[in-house]
Amino acid sequence: MTRAYNFSPGPCGLPDSVMQRAQAEFLEFAETQTSVMEISHRGKDFLKVYNNAVRLLREIMDISDDYAVLFLSGGATGQSAAIPLNLTASSDDTTAYIISGHWSQRSAVEGKKYCHTHIAADNTGNGHTILPSEWDVPENAAYLHYADNETVHGVEFSTRPDSFVPLVADMSSNIASRRINVSDYGLIYAGAQKNLGPTGVTVVIVRKELIRARSDVPMIWDYKNQIPAESMLNTPPTFQIYMVSLVLEWVKNEGGIDEMEKRCVEKAKLLYSCIDAGNFYTAPAQIGNRSRTSIPFFLADDVLTGDFVAGAEKEGMIGLKGHALLGGCRACMYNSMSVAGAQQLVEYMREFERKHG
Ligand SMILES: Cc1ncc(COP(=O)(O)O)c(C=O)c1O
């Protein structure tokens, strides 16, 4: 069996040991005589899985009891609506958004349907290659939303934005890849399909005191009711939550977030050193704002891009085609990508440059 190094933006590769464990337990989970995807979400066996996932996330990210942890459906995109609906009291309230790329832009557009949104900063003018360094936030804003890592444009905040109102962070593509102080945030959310597991479940970590009681929140995203219901106001994505629990266990056993961060920095350094070594490859993001986990890059001669991607696939490296908005290539290296995978990509890039440069 050959498993490729998967550089896709998400869904992406998951650790082999996680996949093997899921495979081993697939037909018969624990003492249940059936698969984990076939048991009731209300039964004690699944509740154990659910509680284990919550406990592991709390432990790994050091999340205090002031925060609720939810596993919801609808992706990070669903949260673009759920967040304003849960953190404002009415559609008359104001929220603030930093636009730093494709995903934060989408969140702001969606958020605007449910309250007043103030654009606190916008880097569209520089093609989302340089992160905003200043933002103006109305005093009455319910929160300041930003994307910690822009998966398409490849820019990442190295430290959180300063904010006197609660900070809401989209960490879909870099959650659990570096140590953060959760208590600095009002809410953190992430689609699981990059750093935490398969697609189909979204993690929401929310400071409970910020939740308001709007009556027009769709039930499945209603935090105040989902918290006592343990994310089970509807049938939750049980298999996905199980997979997240396995990935979190893997993170813990590998050395936790500090180890993930160390590897993340090492992988990014390998790739950027290769890109910066000459003029054959370029990365659009400004140095200092570059993402460690999702790295778009271009070949000097775009005609070669197709061959580059196809050649990589032949050598067991998939998912390198760039996002449609930018073209070129993109290498996403989430927690499950090994340093060896980054090394293999860099060797391939050097060889390709030798042949075509
Ligand atoms: C930073 C970021 N936010 C939001 C999303 C949307 O996530 P979902 O597909 O889970 O709705 C993505 C998807 O790639 C993303 O990278």
Side-chain angles (χ1 to χ4, degrees):
M1 184 184 62
T2 312
R3 267 175 67 78
Y5 286 122
N6 189 340
F7 294 91
S8 302
C12 60
L14 295 177
D16 285 357
S17 60
V18 165
M19 298 299 271
Q20 280 155 352
R21 175 147 170 217
Q23 184 182 42
E25 295 178 344
F26 189 67
L27 284 181
E28 191 186 352
F29 175 66
E31 306 297 314
T32 62
Q33 303 179 49
T34 187
S35 174
V36 68
M37 65 159 62
E38 298 170 314
I39 57 177
S40 166
H41 56 295
R42 305 260 175 234
K44 67 173 178 20
D45 293 298
F46 182 73
L47 284 180
K48 233 193 231 173
V49 171
Y50 179 86
N51 289 330
N52 195 35
V54 172
R55 182 185 58 77
L56 282 164
L57 192 68
R58 283 193 181 280
E59 183 183 332
I60 286 167
M61 291 185 67
D62 197 12
I63 303 168
S64 80
D65 289 342
D66 294 339
Y67 290 77
V69 172
L70 294 169
F71 289 106
L72 303 178
S73 299
T77 302
Q79 291 307 309
S80 300
I83 289 165
L85 283 165
N86 279 281
L87 302 193
T88 64
S90 82
S91 58
D92 292 333
D93 281 4
T94 296
T95 58
Y97 285 76
I98 294 176
I99 308 294
S100 58
H102 175 69
W103 291 110
S104 51
Q105 170 85 45
R106 270 195 15 155
S107 296
V109 169
E110 183 69 2
K112 201 169 175 201
K113 296 176 184 167
Y114 306 102
C115 54
H116 298 290
T117 52
H118 171 82
I119 302 304
D122 186 349
N123 70 347
T124 307
N126 63 47
H128 306 302
T129 56
I130 305 172
L131 285 171
S133 52
E134 292 177 355
W135 30 93
D136 91 87
V137 179
E139 264 174 35
N140 63 344
Y143 59 78
L144 173 64
H145 176 286
Y146 81 108
D148 207 50
N149 184 64
E150 286 283 0
T151 323
V152 172
H153 289 95
V155 285
E156 180 179 24
F157 283 83
S158 54
T159 53
R160 69 175 170 82
D162 269 338
S163 176
F164 61 88
V165 299
L167 201 53
V168 170
D170 177 354
M171 292 196 185
S172 291
S173 47
N174 65 351
I175 193 167
S177 72
R178 73 163 169 237
R179 175 118 340 256
I180 58 159
N181 191 355
V182 172
S183 61
D184 290 339
Y185 297 82
L187 186 150
I188 294 167
Y189 68 106
Q193 65 270 22
K194 302 165 198 299
N195 266 338
L196 297 179
T199 184
V201 62
T202 311
V203 170
V204 177
I205 302 163
V206 57
R207 200 191 306 156
K208 288 182 266 189
E209 66 178 24
L210 295 178
I211 300 169
R212 314 296 291 270
R214 251 174 102 155
S215 59
D216 54 351
V217 193
M219 190 199 294
I220 56 160
W221 292 330
D222 187 341
Y223 302 159
K224 71 179 179 310
N225 288 320
Q226 281 285 24
I227 294 169
E230 299 185 300
S231 312
M232 295 188 203
L233 283 181
N234 73 321
T235 315
T238 52
F239 188 72
Q240 284 78 356
I241 293 170
Y242 158 76
M243 289 298 291
V244 168
S245 77
L246 297 191
V247 171
L248 291 172
E249 220 163 288
W250 174 83
V251 170
K252 184 179 165 183
N253 293 339
E254 291 292 301
I257 288 195
D258 294 337
E259 178 62 23
M260 295 299 122
E261 179 166 11
K262 198 174 123 228
R263 292 180 196 174
C264 188
V265 170
E266 196 177 340
K267 290 178 284 183
K269 207 168 148 195
L270 276 166
L271 186 49
Y272 285 121
S273 305
C274 172
I275 290 169
D276 293 341
N279 299 321
F280 191 79
Y281 302 105
T282 50
Q286 164 162 290
I287 293 173
N289 293 165
R290 286 168 157 183
S291 169
R292 301 159 307 139
T293 59
S294 51
I295 303 177
F297 60 94
F298 302 105
L299 278 65
D301 183 356
D302 190 46
V303 168
L304 293 172
T305 302
D307 286 349
F308 176 88
V309 172
E313 272 178 27
K314 272 196 195 128
E315 298 204 16
M317 290 167 284
I318 62 172
L320 285 161
K321 189 168 184 289
H323 189 278
L325 274 178
L326 257 68
C329 302
R330 173 173 53 173
C332 290
M333 300 188 291
Y334 302 125
N335 282 348
S336 56
M337 174 60 66
S338 61
V339 173
Q343 273 161 346
Q344 182 166 320
L345 174 61
V346 164
E347 276 161 29
Y348 170 74
M349 288 169 72
R350 291 204 185 109
E351 183 57 26
F352 192 87
E353 180 177 353
R354 260 194 298 278
K355 278 193 196 144
H356 301 278

